């Protein structure tokens, strides 16, 4: 009888220890798998966002290059050295800007003054770097703002056109709406429920 009780007690203790060991093992596996899943999800998310960022950046770069080529084509179609008749020149530039869907077109003097053959007035958000690049015969992109507060992207190409006050321009500047650019850069057909947002950010940290 005593042997039977000892055997039963031994089996009970062994079963209890086995249950404790199993609980510890399964708990460890649950914690390990949860951490592994979190790391995997984090890695997948990082790779996805990196790929998405590269795609948006490439799309933005291609779109800007395409629009800059339009400004260059306007200059090529009406070269400054052939601008003998100021009125004809301004009408030709206005027509070319309208046909390429630019909101505004302006001559930019070296002191920052603007002369508008086409469209509404606008201001340059950070004019000095824009002017410095154009003085060095570099193509430049900058942020701007229209008369009614609308956001604009300004594309500047060096060009010496006669302005209305008798001076020569440092560049020809075309303006395109940022809202239109947003629609072009959109990666989803329906953005209302999207959890991903992209922004154009200036060097000073301001959002365009």
């Amino acid at each position: 009888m005593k042997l039977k009780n000892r055997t039963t007690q031994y089996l009970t203790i062994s079963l209890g220890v086995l249950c404790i060991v199993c609980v510890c093992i399964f708990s460890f596996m649950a914690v390990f798998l949860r951490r592994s899943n979190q790391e995997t999800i984090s890695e997948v998310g990082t790779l996805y966002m990196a790929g998405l960022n590269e795609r948006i950046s490439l799309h933005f770069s291609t779109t800007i290059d395409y629009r800059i080529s339009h400004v260059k084509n306007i200059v090529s179609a009406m070269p400054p050295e052939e601008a003998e008749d100021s009125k004809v020149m301004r009408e030709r530039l206005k027509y070319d800007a309208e046909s390429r869907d630019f909101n505004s077109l302006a001559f930019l003097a070296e002191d920052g003054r603007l002369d508008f053959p086409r469209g509404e007035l606008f201001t340059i958000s950070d004019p000095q770097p824009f002017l410095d690049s154009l003085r060095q015969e570099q193509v430049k992109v900058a942020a701007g703002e229209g008369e009614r507060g609308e956001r604009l992207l300004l594309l500047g190409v060096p060009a010496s056109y006669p302005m209305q006050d008798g001076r020569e321009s440092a560049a020809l500047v075309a303006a395109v709406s940022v809202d239109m650019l947003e629609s072009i850069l959109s990666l989803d057909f329906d953005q209302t429920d999207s959890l991903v947002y992209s922004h154009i950010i200036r060097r000073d940290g301001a959002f365009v």
Side-chain angles (χ1 to χ4, degrees), residues 34-47:
R34 185 172 61 183
R35 289 183 178 178
S36 298
N37 288 338
Q38 289 176 344
E39 292 176 359
T40 302
I41 292 172
S42 178
E43 290 177 3
V44 170
T46 301
L47 290 173

Side-chain angles (χ1 to χ4, degrees), residues 94-110:
K94 178 181 177 181
Y95 172 80
D96 287 345
E98 288 175 349
S99 65
R100 290 170 171 82
D101 294 325
F102 286 117
N103 295 52
S104 300
L105 191 72
F107 300 129
L108 177 65
E110 289 199 2

Side-chain angles (χ1 to χ4, degrees), residues 85-159:
D85 189 320
S86 178
K87 184 177 180 180
V88 173
M89 172 202 70
R90 294 175 76 90
E91 287 297 324
R92 177 66 181 276
L93 292 174
K94 178 181 177 181
Y95 172 80
D96 287 345
E98 288 175 349
S99 65
R100 290 170 171 82
D101 294 325
F102 286 117
N103 295 52
S104 300
L105 191 72
F107 300 129
L108 177 65
E110 289 199 2
D111 61 1
R113 294 185 183 182
L114 293 162
D115 176 9
F116 294 84
R118 143 82 178 157
E120 298 180 354
L121 305 180
F122 60 74
T123 56
I124 305 170
S125 299
D126 191 8
Q128 198 55 52
F130 192 62
L131 284 166
D132 291 342
S133 295
L134 293 172
R135 289 188 188 116
Q136 297 173 15
E137 299 295 313
Q138 297 176 356
V139 174
K140 186 68 175 178
V141 180
E145 186 174 300
E147 283 185 302
R148 293 168 293 184
E150 65 272 24
R151 300 169 301 163
L152 299 172
L153 199 66
L154 308 179
L155 313 171
V157 173

